Amino acid sequence: MSVFDNFFVIKISVKLLATYRKKLPEGTKGCTCQIEVPTHSVVRHIVEQYDLAFDETNVVLLNGRVTDPEQKLKNDDVVCVFPALAGG
Amino acid sequence: MNGWHGKILKINLTDQIVEQEEVNPGIAKDYLGGRGWAIKYLYEGMDPSADPLSPENILIFATGPLTGTPAPTGNRYMVVAKSPLTGALSNSNSGGEFPTWMKRTGFDLFIFTGKSSKPVYLWVNEDQVEIRSAEHLWGQDVHQTTDILLAETDPNAKVACIGPAGENLVLMAAIMNDKHRAAARSGVGAVMGSKNLKAVVVHGRKNPLMYDADAMQKLSIEIAKEVGVAVKAGSALREYGTAYVPQVTNELGILPTRNFQSGQFEGVDTIDGLTLKEKYLIRPKPCYRCPIACGRLTEVAEGSRYDGKGEGPEYESISSLGSACGIDNLAAITKANYVCNELGLDTITAGMTVAAAMEMYERSYIPEDDIGKPLRFGDADMLIELLEKIAYRDGFGDILAEGSYRLAEKYGHPEIAVTARKMEFPGYDPRGSQGMGLLYATASVGASHMAGDTAYVEVFGVPEKIDPLVTEGKPALLKRFGNAFVNIDATGLCVFLALRYVFDADINLWPTRLTKLMNLTTGANYTPESMLQAADRVFNLERMFLIRAGFTGKDDTLPPRMLHEPLPSGPAKGYVVKLDEMLPEFYQLQGWDKNGIPTPEKLAELGLSEIVN
Ligand code: SF4
């Protein structure tokens, strides 16, 4: 990767919880993995990258907060997805 | 009657007399059953200002019209009384198998009044009802008690009982059924203990009659199939139980950590559902006829200092006995959960009370001499030791047995207790979930998530996701959730299934399918509107019980930590509960005056004028 590439790539974390954990790369410890994505990526792209939908069947959080699907990502952002489901 | 048996068993423990009472069909319909019937009988049967541990208190076991029917999760019952922890209402719900068997005795409700002079248990085998001596059971834990009772009654009977905690009038004592299931909150076990009632054993074959059995069967199968499809596609509840939740609340910054000093726990990965599944799960364990099976049969293997076998832990127990106490060892948490179940303790209040004591020790508010040893966050062995001491009111446990509010007050630091109506918070820090703040402040049982859990929407996205940090719209949301929970608790279903499958899947929570289930079961011609009006009636009568017990709008509040200490980190950093922004609107929506008292017009609209005057 050239120095130049850093301008086009950002590093973010993806957290997949509950049953979506299995979609994380094998060998992932815990429920978080770090990935690099092109700058100008938005939250929806990440969700779709894991074959998930940004719709009412899922809860999608950006840094723990509710988010717009078209929200642009920046370095160190955390995108978290889990199925909408009752709990405890 | 259909659905309801229309029969109540009244047990006068003082005089050891048992009577049956028929229920008027109009009353049956207006109050739905379960929690609804119970408040009617409680309100009319006792002085709400009576001492909750005196013989004047009334203890009610209440099944609903859907309990014991083919409706999936129609396996619940409610325990209702005046609470010794809060001085307000107890409304504790439990599943398992006992509730269905209780319904099969042919009675909808058991109402216990007075106090037996000696320990007794009640054995109901349909119309054969006996009050028997329980002197040989006094002092036995929940497992031993259950085993002995099954041996001396019928091996196919079901048992609800108290452990040593209930006998010793511990204010966080639970009533355990089927060994591992708990009607846990607000000290119902102490009420049972105060009556010298050790256990209730039930057996019978009287399934409730159905108004339209075929159609009911069909609709029940349809619902079960829908659940089945969802479970097959991957259900977190089936796979991890509610133990998958710590990761979710931690991500939102609302996982109770070190007595609510923060909302994120660094040890969350080691206390979550995956760890539970990989290390300790034997298999999922459903309540009777439940297609979800969120229960966990677990074992911590021999050789571990925390070895044992039992059920759980659930999310609530993981947060109270785990993160709230700064404990990241799931084996220890699981063991602590077993200990609570065996001694008959509410895991939430027990864990949160120890958490408060840990904070007070660390701040030097409690002298070490009083405890006998250091009591720091993260000390799992001390947690387990103290749980035992609480149940037996031994040493420092005697102080903890009164709950965190009285503990903190005793040592001159009431601000440390995280309670509403003196009851400990469950596992959602309301600073990052504003609707839950309004719920804890106003619920007639005190800080309970089971009285209108807006976390469904704010945390879990069911039926839709709404920003947990905003206050706008939360009063209306809580009103709808409050009513839905009354509907669920009164009819006899489990919340986990009901909220997704018997209400319309949008934020209005319209009870379309629940109404159908009720009509096929009872034939009582409910409409969704009349179902909700009945919920409103029950809710307001509960409120009137509190008012008569001496509560006012001033008690609809939260502890200082929630109102004035912002969360220090995470997504909800900087937030407190903005109760002022929500409370007046909530009163207005309820038809209550500015002091939180139902207006005469509201009471008249619900047909409550007569009963409350
Ligand atoms: S969802 Fe869980 S708690 Fe509810 S009835 Fe089923 S097993 Fe019991």
Side-chain angles (χ1 to χ4, degrees), chain B residues 12 30 43 82 110 153 163 185-186 219 258 306 323 330 350 371 404 443 446 468 515 520 525 549 612-613:
Chain B
N12 175 335
D30 286 353
Y43 195 96
K82 177 169 175 173
F110 296 166
T153 55
R185 301 227 65 196
S186 73
L219 181 55
R258 296 186 178 82
Y306 303 119
S323 56
L330 190 56
I371 307 169
S404 58
T515 307
L520 296 175
N525 284 323
V612 302
N613 282 318

Side-chain angles (χ1 to χ4, degrees), chain A residues 15-21 31 80-83, chain B residues 244 247-248 251:
Chain A
K15 241 182 207 189
L16 301 179
L17 303 183
T19 45
Y20 291 166
R21 257 176 135 131
C31 41
C80 173
V81 193
F82 57 90
Chain B
Y244 85 91
Q247 293 283 5
V248 173
E251 185 63 14

Side-chain angles (χ1 to χ4, degrees), chain A residues 13-22 28-32 55-67 78-88, chain B residues 234-237 239-240 242 244-245 247-248 250-252 269 272 274 277 315-316 428 449 453 456 459-463 465-469 496 500 571-572 575:
Chain A
S13 296
V14 177
K15 241 182 207 189
L16 301 179
L17 303 183
T19 45
Y20 291 166
R21 257 176 135 131
K22 298 179 196 110
T28 306
K29 279 230 154 75
C31 41
T32 310
D55 65 9
E56 72 288 346
T57 60
N58 294 313
V59 176
V60 181
L61 303 171
L62 175 61
N63 303 321
R65 309 272 292 252
V66 283
T67 174
V78 182
V79 174
C80 173
V81 193
F82 57 90
L85 180 76
Chain B
S235 153
L237 276 176
E239 197 168 342
Y240 304 111
T242 55
Y244 85 91
V245 177
Q247 293 283 5
V248 173
N250 194 61
E251 185 63 14
L252 286 157
D269 282 341
D272 80 336
L274 184 66
K277 181 178 167 183
Y315 168 63
E316 288 299 339
Y428 305 89
H449 57 306
D453 194 353
Y456 269 76
V459 175
F460 300 108
V462 176
K465 174 82 177 156
I466 289 180
D467 191 340
L469 297 174
F496 288 162
R500 269 177 85 98
Y575 277 79

Side-chain angles (χ1 to χ4, degrees), chain B residues 305-571:
Chain B
R305 63 192 296 156
Y306 303 119
D307 69 327
K309 193 173 171 182
E311 287 183 28
E314 309 287 328
Y315 168 63
E316 288 299 339
S317 311
I318 291 175
S319 73
S320 59
L321 302 167
S323 56
C325 291
I327 292 170
D328 62 5
N329 180 334
L330 190 56
I333 295 167
T334 304
K335 177 72 175 185
N337 183 66
Y338 295 157
V339 169
C340 286
N341 286 353
E342 284 157 26
L343 300 176
L345 285 168
D346 169 17
T347 57
I348 300 179
T349 286
M352 294 298 183
T353 299
V354 173
M358 286 171 163
E359 183 182 345
M360 291 173 74
Y361 172 82
E362 290 199 348
R363 290 181 187 271
S364 305
Y365 295 164
I366 303 180
E368 193 170 313
D369 277 356
D370 285 18
I371 307 169
K373 292 182 207 178
L375 178 60
R376 296 202 173 83
F377 282 115
D379 191 338
D381 291 354
M382 270 304 275
L383 167 70
I384 293 168
E385 187 180 319
L386 287 174
L387 292 173
E388 305 230 359
K389 289 192 157 166
I390 290 172
Y392 292 99
R393 285 188 173 271
D394 174 14
F396 186 58
D398 191 28
I399 298 169
L400 296 179
E402 301 284 301
S404 58
Y405 182 90
R406 293 166 178 90
L407 167 80
E409 206 172 44
K410 181 180 159 71
Y411 286 98
H413 287 279
E415 75 283 1
I416 300 293
V418 182
T419 59
R421 295 191 209 288
K422 302 181 187 156
M423 185 156 95
E424 289 67 18
F425 281 27
Y428 305 89
D429 191 319
R431 287 170 289 185
S433 182
Q434 297 285 322
M436 294 303 276
L438 183 61
L439 168 67
Y440 297 166
T442 56
S444 37
V445 290
S448 162
H449 57 306
M450 297 306 282
D453 194 353
T454 60
Y456 269 76
V457 169
E458 298 181 295
V459 175
F460 300 108
V462 176
E464 1 182 316
K465 174 82 177 156
I466 289 180
D467 191 340
L469 297 174
V470 304
T471 54
E472 202 192 327
K474 296 293 164 68
L477 182 71
L478 178 59
K479 180 163 173 26
R480 290 193 290 267
F481 266 82
N483 276 342
F485 271 66
V486 175
N487 274 161
I488 295 166
D489 288 345
T491 54
L493 298 182
C494 172
V495 165
F496 288 162
L497 178 129
L499 265 182
R500 269 177 85 98
Y501 295 96
V502 306
F503 292 86
D504 290 2
D506 61 53
I507 211 73
N508 293 314
L509 296 177
W510 200 245
T512 308
R513 225 186 202 175
L514 181 60
T515 307
K516 271 191 201 147
L517 285 171
M518 281 291 278
N519 286 337
L520 296 175
T521 301
T522 66
N525 284 323
Y526 284 104
T527 60
E529 289 85 354
S530 69
M531 284 291 294
L532 289 175
Q533 203 198 26
D536 215 13
R537 181 176 297 119
V538 170
F539 191 80
N540 277 277
L541 190 55
E542 291 175 349
R543 181 74 179 183
M544 286 310 296
F545 185 92
L546 260 68
I547 304 291
R548 289 284 145 84
F551 287 86
T552 70
K554 288 201 182 73
D555 299 300
D556 294 335
T557 190
L558 295 171
R561 179 159 291 169
M562 295 297 130
L563 298 176
H564 307 302
E565 269 180 48
L567 269 165
S569 59

Side-chain angles (χ1 to χ4, degrees), chain A residues 1-9 11 36:
Chain A
M1 190 164 64
S2 74
V3 179
F4 199 59
D5 283 340
N6 283 329
F7 291 104
F8 300 105
V9 172
K11 286 186 181 166
E36 293 189 344

Side-chain angles (χ1 to χ4, degrees), chain A residues 40-45 54 62 67-74 77:
Chain A
H40 305 300
S41 293
V42 300
V43 176
R44 181 174 51 81
H45 296 149
F54 199 120
L62 175 61
T67 174
D68 188 279
E70 303 307 322
Q71 175 65 44
K72 251 180 80 177
L73 293 168
K74 54 180 181 7
D77 272 345

